[in-house]
Amino acid sequence: MIDRLEKEVDMLERHLQVLKMVIENEPIGIVKMSNETGYPHHKVRYSLRVLEEENLIEPSSQGAITTERTQEFVDELDDKLDEIGDKLAEMRIDSAAELEN
């Protein structure tokens, strides 16, 4: 159960790292991103596809570039991550209290 969540978080981290590279270096291609991140080409390509489906990037002849939606997403990202972190913190089970009951 937790393993699946951990894998999703790892994938989200990769998607966000790829997005950050596009924001900072646009236009940027798969080969450069793969070389700089150490992720294999197929994983970078998958992240780019996910980001494109979310309308956060778009392809150009020189490589991936941001869209009009990118800045709005970035502006909201920290709040969303904080909300998720709070929700995860609420899920903690105090083992000592639970074992006493």
Side-chain angles (χ1 to χ4, degrees), residues 19-98:
L19 178 60
K20 184 177 178 184
M21 289 188 74
V22 174
I23 292 169
E24 293 174 351
N25 303 291
E26 65 180 311
I28 186 169
I30 292 171
V31 173
K32 184 173 182 181
M33 282 190 262
S34 179
N35 290 341
E36 290 189 18
T37 62
Y39 294 127
H41 291 204
H42 71 277
K43 289 192 175 195
V44 172
R45 189 175 291 111
Y46 178 74
S47 290
L48 288 170
R49 186 176 336 123
V50 168
L51 294 168
E52 186 177 354
E53 288 172 0
E54 293 292 324
N55 296 316
L56 297 174
I57 64 161
E58 58 188 27
S60 77
S61 57
Q62 292 85 27
I65 59 173
T66 59
T67 66
E68 294 176 7
R69 168 132 167 63
T70 307
Q71 189 59 51
E72 176 187 348
F73 174 82
V74 169
D75 291 344
E76 296 172 355
L77 180 61
D78 286 346
D79 288 339
K80 293 276 188 195
L81 292 174
D82 287 343
E83 287 175 23
I84 293 167
D86 291 345
K87 186 177 276 189
L88 290 171
E90 290 172 9
M91 291 180 191
R92 292 183 184 273
I93 297 174
D94 182 359
S95 56
E98 290 296 317

Side-chain angles (χ1 to χ4, degrees), residues 1-15 80-81 83-92:
M1 183 167 57
I2 296 298
D3 292 343
R4 206 166 73 211
L5 176 61
E6 190 173 15
K7 287 178 185 175
E8 287 292 326
V9 170
D10 288 344
M11 191 171 14
L12 176 61
E13 180 181 28
R14 186 181 74 231
H15 296 337
K80 293 276 188 195
L81 292 174
E83 287 175 23
I84 293 167
D86 291 345
K87 186 177 276 189
L88 290 171
E90 290 172 9
M91 291 180 191
R92 292 183 184 273

